DNA sequence: AACACGTGGGG
DNA sequence: TCCCCAAGTGT
């Protein structure tokens, strides 16, 4: 379709040569859309399973990081019922490294629910999608729009940014969410709701970026209030968030031949359900001596060796410093209650969060000295 | 309504 | 280096 005919089609409230914002957006999208593994080719229907899976993975996570995980998941579990049949443990193993592990637990719970309560078919309304584990207001709207072409506008961080600039929303996030939601809905075309949403997200990801937005390339630049004011960099407004205090702890890397002592973290909370080496609590202001007292008790343990240096890791809400102690025990030494031995060679298959991969790498590194 | 919840990359 | 950010949800 030529731009001209599109202009003619709907141009009521605006000057004849200016397409409406929803249409301008769609025209831009048809030329510049990103090709992503979970997106259907133009004109084709998208698979709700792939849309859902990608939306969960993309929560607070970059497209680049998601790519390989998405491929691994769809190749191992091609549809919801397959995923519903998997064990939560297998799902956590495949998710290890992506972060926010409650997403993986909810992903599995959701697959089970869709299989058992919806006959293996995703519900196609926002309300019923919203009732699924791990599916909040954003994801429900995104699936409804993208997979089922429901006329609704999901609002994510990209869209918040684009909309807050377009209308120069002075109110701070997250208080401004309802207003932004309302304004975002005005960018919905009469049809192709999913493309409207994805267009806005692509725009936010590639043009209307957090820093130095490329306004000259933006299909909405003419009507953008922030740009007119030259203040686009200052939106969205939000209060600075406080960072958590440094926490310290100790981690214990115990080997028995070519095996490593590990345990599983509690279901809920930080790194819930993931594998770890035994360790102390992680507390602000904790000293090394106190942390070391929480070492596991093992028969046939010669002595603890403290590795030089510390392992540092930054979580969303606090930074962490871990001192690493190593020890070897004799063959056939029993693992303490609720712990187990795993071959070091198969560690890659464990549900190990990255902080634990760092700890183990440091503890096992023969070139790094002990004190 | 705040706060918990991972990780890696960019400026 | 440090700080912010990335397709948010659950409590």
């Amino acid at each position: 379709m030529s731009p001209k005919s599109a202009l003619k089609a709907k141009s009521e409230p605006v000057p004849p040569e200016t397409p409406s914002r929803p249409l301008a957006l769609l025209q831009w999208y048809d030329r510049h859309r990103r090709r992503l593994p979970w997106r259907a080719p133009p004109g084709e229907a998208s698979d709700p399973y792939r849309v859902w899976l990608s939306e969960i993975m993309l929560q607070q996570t970059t497209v680049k990081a998601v790519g390989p995980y998405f491929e691994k998941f769809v190749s191992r579990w091609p549809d919801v019922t397959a995923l519903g049949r998997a064990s939560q443990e297998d799902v956590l193993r495949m998710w290890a490294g992506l972060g926010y592990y409650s997403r993986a637990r909810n992903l599995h719970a959701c697959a089970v629910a869709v299989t058992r309560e919806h006959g293996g078919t995703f519900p196609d309304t926002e309300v019923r999608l919203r009732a699924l584990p791990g599916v909040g207001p954003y994801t429900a709207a995104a699936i409804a729009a993208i997979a089922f072409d429901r006329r609704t506008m999901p609002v994510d961080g990209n869209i918040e940014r684009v909309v807050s600039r377009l209308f120069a929303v002075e109110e701070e996030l997250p208080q401004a969410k309802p207003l932004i939601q309302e304004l975002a809905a005005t960018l919905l075309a009469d049809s192709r709701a999913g493309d409207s949403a994805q267009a806005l997200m692509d725009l936010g990801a590639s043009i209307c970026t957090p820093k130095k937005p490329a306004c000259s390339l933006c299909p909405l630049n003419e009507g953008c209030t922030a740009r007119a004011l030259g203040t686009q960099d200052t939106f969205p407004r939000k209060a600075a968030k406080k960072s958590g205090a440094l926490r310290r702890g100790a981690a214990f890397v115990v080997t028995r031949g070519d095996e490593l002592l590990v345990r599983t973290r509690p279901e809920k909370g930080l790194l819930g359900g993931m594998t770890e080496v035994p360790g102390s609590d992680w507390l602000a202001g904790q000293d090394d001596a106190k942390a070391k007292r929480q070492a596991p008790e093992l028969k046939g343990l010669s002595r603890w060796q403290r590795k030089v240096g510390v392992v540092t890791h930054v979580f969303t809400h606090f930074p962490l410093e871990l001192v690493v102690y190593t020890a070897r025990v004799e063959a056939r030494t029993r693992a303490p209650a609720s712990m187990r031995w795993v071959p070091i060679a198969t560690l890659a298959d464990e549900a190990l969060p990255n902080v634990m991969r760092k700890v183990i790498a440091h503890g096992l590194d023969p070139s790094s000295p002990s004190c």
Side-chain angles (χ1 to χ4, degrees):
Chain A
M1 126 182 33
S2 76
K4 205 82 184 235
S5 65
L7 300 189
K8 243 189 301 182
K10 26 193 68 230
S11 52
E12 268 70 67
V14 283
E17 291 308 314
T18 309
S20 71
R21 285 210 270 231
L23 253 30
L25 201 50
L26 249 18
Q27 286 174 7
W28 174 84
Y29 185 66
D30 288 339
R31 290 176 54 96
H32 302 290
R33 54 180 289 162
R34 291 178 292 176
R35 266 170 278 281
L36 300 170
W38 43 87
R39 293 229 279 229
E44 285 183 33
S46 43
D47 175 358
Y49 172 66
R50 295 167 70 93
V51 173
W52 162 71
L53 179 60
S54 66
E55 288 301 339
I56 301 298
M57 288 183 165
L58 286 162
Q59 289 168 8
Q60 300 291 285
T61 309
T62 57
V63 166
K64 185 180 175 206
V66 166
Y69 284 85
F70 180 82
E71 300 293 0
K72 278 197 308 183
F73 270 70
V74 290
S75 114
R76 176 150 178 194
W77 299 299
D79 53 55
V80 227
T81 56
L83 185 56
R85 282 192 300 272
S87 68
Q88 179 188 279
E89 192 187 348
D90 278 346
V91 174
L92 282 176
R93 267 202 279 268
M94 293 284 277
W95 194 278
L98 236 204
Y100 284 141
Y101 299 101
S102 67
R103 291 185 298 172
R105 301 194 298 274
N106 285 146
L107 184 84
H108 181 248
C110 184
V112 169
V114 169
T115 301
R116 299 227 256 261
E117 295 162 29
H118 298 274
T121 306
F122 275 89
D124 63 357
T125 66
E126 233 176 309
V127 171
R128 289 196 299 159
L129 284 162
R130 181 71 184 74
L132 264 9
V135 178
Y138 162 76
T139 305
I143 298 172
I146 298 168
F148 299 113
D149 213 32
R150 297 281 180 179
R151 197 165 179 284
T152 180
M153 181 63 88
V155 178
D156 70 339
N158 284 312
I159 298 182
E160 281 175 352
R161 187 170 57 254
V162 174
V163 169
S164 66
R165 286 172 177 169
L166 204 49
F167 298 95
V169 174
E170 291 293 342
E171 191 181 6
E172 282 189 349
L173 284 169
Q175 292 75 24
K177 276 174 182 285
L179 172 58
I180 290 177
Q181 172 72 250
E182 198 179 313
L183 294 170
T186 69
L187 300 174
L188 224 32
D190 290 338
S191 60
R192 300 181 62 191
D195 286 347
S196 290
Q198 293 178 96
L200 230 31
M201 293 184 216
D202 280 15
L203 192 61
S206 55
I207 307 283
C208 196
T209 49
K211 289 163 190 169
K212 305 266 171 84
C215 298
S216 61
L217 302 177
C218 179
L220 305 182
N221 58 11
E222 283 182 42
C224 181
T225 309
R227 196 213 180 193
L229 267 23
T231 57
Q232 56 271 211
D233 287 339
T234 69
F235 293 96
R237 310 247 121 108
K238 54 175 76 171
K241 54 191 116 183
K242 55 236 170 211
S243 67
L246 172 69
R247 299 186 198 178
R248 293 178 207 277
F252 305 97
V253 174
V254 185
T255 51
R256 175 232 240 182
D258 54 9
E259 295 172 310
L260 178 71
L261 185 65
V262 301
R263 65 186 179 190
T264 300
R265 291 179 64 91
E267 268 303 301
K268 304 241 167 204
L270 188 66
L271 308 176
M274 302 296 285
T275 301
E276 66 174 359
V277 297
S280 72
D281 297 327
W282 298 344
L283 300 172
Q286 173 169 242
D287 62 88
D288 291 353
K290 185 179 167 198
K292 192 188 170 193
R293 272 180 247 131
Q294 297 175 51
E297 310 259 348
L298 285 139
K299 302 194 173 192
L301 184 150
S302 45
R303 64 195 175 87
W304 291 110
Q305 298 253 67
R306 205 256 237 209
K307 283 287 198 179
V308 168
V310 292
V311 170
T312 63
H313 191 76
V314 181
F315 293 99
T316 307
H317 48 309
F318 66 92
L320 176 67
E321 253 182 40
L322 254 19
V323 170
V324 177
Y325 293 91
T326 62
R328 288 182 225 283
V329 297
E330 296 166 1
R332 287 190 298 285
T333 302
R334 291 305 197 89
S338 76
M339 298 189 199
R340 61 186 192 278
W341 299 104
V342 299
I344 290 165
T346 65
L347 244 28
D349 303 327
E350 284 291 324
L352 282 172
N354 278 6
V355 60
M356 283 301 139
R357 293 186 189 274
K358 287 188 200 172
V359 165
I360 294 165
H362 191 237
L364 260 28
D365 181 2
S367 67
S368 116
S370 297
C371 303

